[in-house]
Amino acid sequence: MKSRLLVLSIVVAAGCSTIANPFVHQKPDQSSVPMDALKTVALAIEQAVEKGDRDAVVADQGGIVLSDEVVKQAIRTRAIRSALVTEMRGSGFACEKRNGMLYVLRSTKYKKATTSKDRDRDAGIVMSENTDRWTLYEGIAKTSKLPSRSLSAIEQAFFDARVQCLREGQAYEDASGTVVVKGQ
């Protein structure tokens, strides 16, 4: 039993190379990433996802490779889920964070406005969406042969593209970490 706890403690303390450390967010390393191509690709993907285009074809561009099946599937499932994510963002209880992930803004107001079943559903949507986003980010880094330190630059490019695609009244995190609403 003690050895299992020790192994678990080591894994938790060390982290995992495929899981983002929530306590450390590095400044994006753009030196090893073709940023213009990445920004173009990120915007095209986010526009397709926002439209719910399950059959979107975004071509490889400037060293950014998207033709991998894992990347294509992550885009496809995000597009399928798009209406649910848009609905959550429209509720005022979801926020796009600078780390490229979707979060539920848990508050007393949220708890009063939703049922336990609603909150479970929202948690499932957020978990699935963030899993696909992380799969997309890692897939792009891997298939484009970018170093792992480029992940924060990929997250940033997709966050910026997503903010451009947000509708009026949807929340996102600004550069200072404050949650703001688009159009206000």
Side-chain angles (χ1 to χ4, degrees), residues 42-168:
L43 184 57
I45 290 170
E46 290 307 317
Q47 288 171 335
V49 166
E50 197 64 28
K51 285 190 257 180
D53 185 356
R54 300 169 185 213
D55 300 315
V57 177
V58 182
D60 298 353
Q61 184 172 348
I64 302 298
V65 180
L66 304 170
S67 53
D68 180 71
E69 275 308 309
V70 171
V71 170
K72 289 180 187 178
Q73 183 61 33
I75 295 168
R76 190 176 308 124
T77 54
R78 287 192 58 223
I80 290 167
R81 187 182 311 105
S82 175
L84 296 172
V85 171
T86 299
E87 178 185 328
M88 277 187 67
R89 285 191 206 125
S91 72
F93 298 122
C95 174
E96 292 293 342
K97 294 284 192 156
R98 296 198 63 78
N99 67 356
M101 298 295 154
L102 178 67
Y103 283 77
V104 173
L105 298 172
R106 298 176 55 105
S107 64
T108 304
K109 187 176 177 183
Y110 173 67
K111 190 169 183 176
K112 287 181 181 178
T114 59
T115 65
S116 174
K117 186 176 178 180
D118 293 333
R119 292 187 295 277
D120 289 347
R121 175 183 164 262
D122 291 349
I125 292 168
V126 168
M127 285 177 25
S128 298
E129 178 68 12
N130 288 342
T131 297
D132 284 336
R133 288 180 184 187
W134 192 247
T135 299
L136 178 64
Y137 304 155
E138 283 188 321
I140 288 172
K142 182 178 178 184
T143 60
S144 303
K145 296 183 177 28
L146 301 173
S148 62
R149 69 180 185 273
S150 66
L151 283 171
S152 57
I154 295 169
E155 292 171 0
Q156 184 66 50
F158 274 88
F159 170 79
D160 293 341
R162 202 168 298 113
V163 168
Q164 288 181 48
C165 295
L166 286 178
R167 298 175 184 176
E168 297 287 318

Side-chain angles (χ1 to χ4, degrees), residues 95 166 169-184:
C95 174
L166 286 178
Q170 294 181 337
Y172 65 96
E173 189 176 53
D174 69 9
S176 69
T178 304
V179 175
V180 296
V181 176
K182 189 167 184 176
Q184 292 182 0

